[in-house]
Amino acid sequence: MAPFLSHPISLLFLLFSFLPLLSLSAVDQPYKTYIVRIDSQSKPSIFPTHYHWYTTEFTDAPQILHTYDTVFHGFSATLTSGHAATLSQHPSVLAVFEDHRQQLHTTRSPQFLGLRNQRGLWSDSDYGSDVIIGVLDTGIWPERRSFSDVNLGAIPARWKGICEVGERFSARNCNKKLIGARFFIKGHEAASGSMGPITPINETVEFKSPRDADGHGTHTASTAAGRHVFGASMEGYAAGIAKGVAPKARLAAYKVCWKNSGCFDSDILAAFDAAVKDGVDVISISIGGGDGISAPYYLDPIAIGAYGAASRGIFVSSSAGNDGPNIMSATNLAPWIVTVGAGTIDRNFPAEVVLGNGKRLSGVSLYAGLPLSGKMYPLVYPGKSGVLSASLCMENSLDPNMVKGKIVVCDRGSSARVAKGLVVKKAGGVGMILANGVSNGEGLVGDAHLIPTCALGSDEGDTVKAYVSSTSNPAATIAFKGTVIGIKPAPVVASFSGRGPNGLTPEILKPDLIAPGVNILAAWTDNVGPTGLDSDTRKTEFNILSGTSMACPHVSGAAALLKSAHPDWSPAAIRSAMMTTANTFNNLNQPMTDEATGNVSSPYDLGAGHLNLDRAMDPGLVYDITNDDYVNFLCGIGYGPRVIQVITRSPVSCLVKKTLPENLNYPSITALLPSSAKGATSKTFIRAVTNVGQPNAVYRFTIQAPKGVTVTVKPPKLVFTEALKKQSFIVTITANTRNLMPDDSGAVFGSISWSDGKHVVRTPILVTQMDPL
């Protein structure tokens, strides 16, 4: 997957002394793009529109890239740093921050979620036919069968979006399935002109239109809402019927990411603004920062845009990032965003390395070319020389005299997995064994390699290297086993999936849940082959990809089905239904494990568990959250009213006695015990649940206490009637820090479950010694 970039944004806070805005000389100051947050209520009445105000008082019209008026009030513009600093002193300016680049978090999975035709969620919701999913990504390849509108009803009357025309994209490319498409390029173009290494769009490989040159957007859109497609496969792998989670939901594509160029904050924010105005019900965004570094919520345009959407009842699903298994690597952490990690499914693409000594090693591959047919070839490990670039099979690092006619062992890392195979091929090698290092452990993903290739886990990779170094004439072959279904155990948490704890507000557990994200088959662009390499000229209607990018649209599609079946549910209620009914056991009926270690996984790895749609349809109770609750949360983490207004648009005031952030009505409970605590320490939490099941119900709790922790709950039962739909309860967590025995992640885990005999409403509990960040 694409590497993440960290997000080191600097905020130029408001200074109350107002300096007149001078026309600054830019002779020695480079222009950069800045996003300017304006207090919209302070617009002088003399100006007919905000745009007139901005271009008269703040900057010249040609400098403005986007104006924002829905999820955010303000504009983005190309400015010198001096002009930006001066702007930040204007009393109507709440914040000025620099534009930054984000990265993409690069057919049986609907069944694996518990969905079956004609029963459960698919039939109850008419497959989500009146729900609109907005996908912020690399655009869409509209001709794919996954986006057919055959037998779909009229476009929902509330839809206000457009089909934006551009290169190789006309109004005819939209239909009753793909009901809208837009592209956002101004932030990218401004960066290309002023920010050094970012190159202008190469129009020989990219389209200035909603058309998808990369493939990622087509894949995520069809995962969420692709129609049933018979005879689907990727060069014979994963053959069968392909379908998205919500096959009748409508799609709107918002192209914010450009091939090999990432996605700019200013364009992402403009897409959020447009999607909310257009009338989407769900926003799916498989984009984010990384390296475990998250910008504060008031500096993160995804968090800001998502708040503007969620506060209007729009569900926002986002990927947790691919920087696992490192702790605190999850991204997109705001509590109004549903943060999705990745798990495996019960389908795999096994391949086998057979060594000259007869040893057989299991791995995976999606190679679909001519097989090696059991023929043994000489085996070589260029890393034996001690040269790092050769061990990684980097461009121009291999000596053709050394590798010609041989199978080459390459270490994973630093360059794309499929690109290593191309390097081997150019040097005359006949095949590749791709060996994981310690950081990737046993986590494997399939790739559509250009030469015969098998990916091996770290242990098997070490076995191959030991064989090469201890044998005078090492040899090997690779056998490809096609598609195997019914793999056990599954799901397993993907080793790359972003992990907790939450690096901004550890009082809120992230990720929220996991969904299928390994070796997912979905629609693909015709612009590039399945590897995405320029030299890969193969055309394929479908491709198999892995990443939290693939997990996120599963949750977006699930939200569409739940929204269709329960139109009155808020985004928080939908998230609660998914979290409290999630699976924590695999298909062997044992606790889910972590691919990276083989150990039992914790809520830091899988959140509340793995999405189970059938149960989410009827959760019994939900934890709801209002906009005021989110404002109280922001006050509780120490944000002042003007900083909060950057996120909320409207002015707010904080209560004198602030709400503790851990008392946000979230479907998980995280107890942070002070690091200085010695001996017995207690924390109390308040939660409220709303009955969405049978009106007259009595729920009683069961506790699975974390090791060394005492958990008490009051009252002992919750009684609901026609008139009384909402009830509160208090949880007290007591631990003697001397007896606390945390695992490697530094925490202990348990749960509270409320049940009325039919429903089980499970809430994870996490206890750790940590001070609030």
Side-chain angles (χ1 to χ4, degrees), residues 44-100:
S45 57
I46 189 172
F47 297 109
T49 66
H50 282 87
Y51 180 78
H52 282 89
W53 180 32
Y54 301 157
T55 54
T56 305
E57 194 160 339
F58 298 110
T59 191
D60 297 331
Q63 308 303 125
I64 289 188
L65 305 175
H66 298 291
T67 57
Y68 311 108
D69 60 11
T70 305
V71 300
F72 185 85
H73 282 296
F75 60 90
S76 52
T78 52
L79 308 168
T80 63
S81 57
H83 190 165
T86 308
L87 273 183
S88 71
Q89 298 169 338
H90 191 289
S92 297
V93 173
L94 294 167
V96 180
F97 42 97
E98 205 178 304
D99 201 7
H100 281 264

Side-chain angles (χ1 to χ4, degrees), residues 18 22 77 93 160 162 241 281 304 350 374 380 391 447 517 528 530 596-597:
F18 168 53
L22 306 173
V93 173
K160 300 183 183 71
I162 62 166
I241 300 169
D281 301 296
I304 293 167
V380 62
S391 75
D447 292 300
V528 289
T597 63

Side-chain angles (χ1 to χ4, degrees), residues 399-703:
D399 178 358
N401 297 321
M402 184 183 172
V403 306
K404 190 172 182 187
K406 298 178 182 176
I407 291 175
V408 182
V409 181
C410 297
D411 288 331
R412 184 171 165 185
S414 298
S415 63
R417 299 181 298 272
V418 288
K420 296 175 191 291
L422 188 58
V423 171
V424 171
K425 185 181 180 184
K426 283 178 181 171
V430 296
M432 177 173 72
I433 295 170
L434 185 63
N436 276 5
V438 176
S439 62
N440 297 114
E442 304 310 306
L444 296 175
V445 293
D447 292 300
H449 290 280
L450 292 164
I451 61 168
T453 296
C454 179
L456 294 179
S458 178
D459 292 347
E460 284 90 342
D462 289 346
T463 301
V464 173
K465 292 171 199 173
Y467 166 71
V468 170
S469 62
S470 65
T471 310
S472 52
N473 293 304
T477 190
I478 303 170
F480 303 97
K481 304 294 183 71
T483 304
V484 176
I485 288 166
I487 298 288
K488 292 180 178 180
V492 172
V493 178
S495 62
F496 58 75
S497 186
R499 312 301 170 98
N502 181 328
L504 283 181
T505 40
E507 298 90 344
I508 304 295
L509 175 65
K510 292 286 181 173
D512 290 311
L513 73 170
I514 63 168
V518 178
N519 294 336
I520 302 301
L521 179 83
W524 191 243
T525 176
D526 246 359
N527 194 55
V528 289
T531 61
L533 296 171
D534 292 340
S535 58
D536 186 354
T537 56
R538 294 174 291 176
K539 301 275 188 232
T540 177
E541 183 182 7
F542 292 89
N543 199 4
I544 294 170
L545 298 182
S546 299
T548 53
S549 274
M550 285 63 250
C552 167
H554 280 88
V555 168
S556 309
L561 294 180
L562 288 166
K563 184 87 178 166
S564 186
H566 303 284
D568 55 331
W569 283 9
S570 69
I574 292 172
R575 181 212 356 239
S576 173
M578 292 180 186
M579 287 178 66
T580 61
T581 61
N583 290 338
T584 57
F585 284 76
N586 59 31
N587 55 6
L588 293 172
N589 205 29
Q590 293 169 343
M592 273 180 218
T593 54
D594 181 354
E595 187 179 45
T597 63
N599 298 334
V600 172
S601 54
S602 81
Y604 279 157
D605 308 321
L606 48 64
H610 187 279
L611 178 62
N612 181 317
L613 260 173
D614 266 357
R615 285 213 299 262
M617 180 74 173
D618 181 19
L621 307 176
V622 294
Y623 293 85
D624 213 347
I625 302 178
T626 66
N627 295 342
D628 287 345
D629 293 333
Y630 287 129
V631 169
N632 290 336
F633 163 82
L634 293 168
C635 293
I637 61 171
Y639 287 8
R642 287 188 75 85
V643 172
I644 295 172
Q645 194 181 342
V646 173
I647 301 164
T648 60
R649 303 176 313 285
S650 47
V652 301
S653 56
C654 290
L655 301 169
V656 176
K657 190 180 182 199
K658 291 178 179 172
T659 306
L660 293 171
E662 59 263 37
N663 279 331
L664 181 67
N665 199 38
Y666 217 73
S668 57
I669 292 174
T670 301
L672 303 185
L673 305 180
S675 56
S676 59
K678 298 283 186 286
T681 307
S682 288
K683 278 224 154 179
T684 300
F685 301 83
I686 302 166
R687 290 292 186 271
V689 281
T690 304
N691 182 19
V692 293
Q694 295 84 349
N696 296 301
V698 179
Y699 281 80
R700 291 178 172 83
F701 66 82
T702 53
I703 294 170

Side-chain angles (χ1 to χ4, degrees), residues 5 83 85 124 136 221 247 262 272 369 376 457 476 556-557 685 702 704 766:
L5 297 185
H83 190 165
D124 290 351
L136 277 59
F272 267 110
M376 284 284 179
S556 309
F685 301 83
T702 53
Q704 187 184 350
L766 187 156

Side-chain angles (χ1 to χ4, degrees), residues 107-116 122 222-223 241-247 345 347 516 520-521 554 613:
T107 50
R108 283 186 76 248
S109 54
Q111 258 80 11
F112 199 62
L113 297 176
L115 287 176
R116 299 285 187 277
W122 264 350
S222 61
T223 299
I241 300 169
K243 54 188 170 296
V245 179
I345 59 174
R347 177 183 68 199
I520 302 301
L521 179 83
H554 280 88
L613 260 173

Side-chain angles (χ1 to χ4, degrees), residues 14-317:
L14 175 80
L15 300 176
F16 286 99
S17 56
F18 168 53
L19 298 176
L21 300 182
L22 306 173
S23 175
L24 296 172
S25 165
V27 173
D28 53 0
Q29 288 192 327
Y31 279 84
K32 291 183 178 179
T33 301
Y34 292 87
I35 300 169
V36 183
R37 180 74 172 85
I38 302 288
D39 179 358
S40 64
Q41 297 181 340
S42 60
K43 177 180 78 70
S45 57
I46 189 172
F47 297 109
T49 66
H50 282 87
Y51 180 78
H52 282 89
W53 180 32
Y54 301 157
T55 54
T56 305
E57 194 160 339
F58 298 110
T59 191
D60 297 331
Q63 308 303 125
I64 289 188
L65 305 175
H66 298 291
T67 57
Y68 311 108
D69 60 11
T70 305
V71 300
F72 185 85
H73 282 296
F75 60 90
S76 52
T78 52
L79 308 168
T80 63
S81 57
H83 190 165
T86 308
L87 273 183
S88 71
Q89 298 169 338
H90 191 289
S92 297
V93 173
L94 294 167
V96 180
F97 42 97
E98 205 178 304
D99 201 7
H100 281 264
R101 178 162 53 161
Q102 307 287 346
Q103 295 291 349
L104 294 162
H105 290 159
T106 270
T107 50
R108 283 186 76 248
S109 54
Q111 258 80 11
F112 199 62
L113 297 176
L115 287 176
R116 299 285 187 277
N117 278 351
Q118 304 314 319
R119 59 170 280 264
L121 200 46
W122 264 350
S123 51
D124 290 351
S125 65
D126 190 29
Y127 300 76
S129 62
D130 286 330
V131 180
I132 302 163
I133 303 174
V135 181
L136 277 59
D137 213 297
T138 63
I140 197 159
W141 197 266
E143 292 82 7
R144 287 293 177 238
R145 290 184 290 166
S146 298
F147 309 126
S148 159
D149 67 353
V150 172
N151 297 329
L152 278 185
I155 293 170
R158 67 183 190 286
W159 177 245
K160 300 183 183 71
I162 62 166
C163 197
E164 191 173 356
V165 174
E167 185 185 352
R168 287 191 59 191
F169 204 95
S170 72
R172 289 193 305 278
N173 286 123
C174 293
N175 58 18
K176 289 184 290 185
K177 174 67 176 177
L178 176 62
I179 64 174
R182 297 178 183 265
F183 65 101
F184 301 85
I185 195 173
K186 290 176 180 174
H188 183 281
E189 287 181 328
S192 301
S194 64
M195 284 190 186
I198 295 151
T199 51
I201 281 170
N202 179 349
E203 294 188 41
T204 63
V205 297
E206 180 56 283
F207 309 101
K208 278 195 180 179
S209 77
R211 185 169 290 278
D212 182 9
D214 178 275
H216 191 278
T218 300
H219 199 280
T220 54
S222 61
T223 299
R227 302 298 301 277
H228 291 74
V229 176
F230 293 88
S233 79
M234 196 287 290
E235 303 212 307
Y237 285 99
I241 300 169
K243 54 188 170 296
V245 179
K248 286 191 182 175
R250 316 307 172 115
L251 282 165
Y254 298 85
K255 182 173 175 178
V256 296
C257 302
W258 299 84
K259 189 169 166 60
N260 304 329
S261 301
C263 339
F264 279 86
D265 287 342
S266 55
D267 293 333
I268 293 170
L269 202 48
F272 267 110
D273 222 45
V276 173
K277 275 189 286 201
D278 287 348
V280 303
D281 301 296
V282 174
I283 289 175
S284 190
I285 177 166
S286 294
I287 299 168
D291 297 335
I293 298 170
S294 293
Y297 305 129
Y298 57 83
L299 291 178
D300 179 356
I302 293 178
I304 293 167
Y307 182 88
S311 65
R312 289 170 166 81
I314 297 166
F315 181 97
V316 181
S317 171

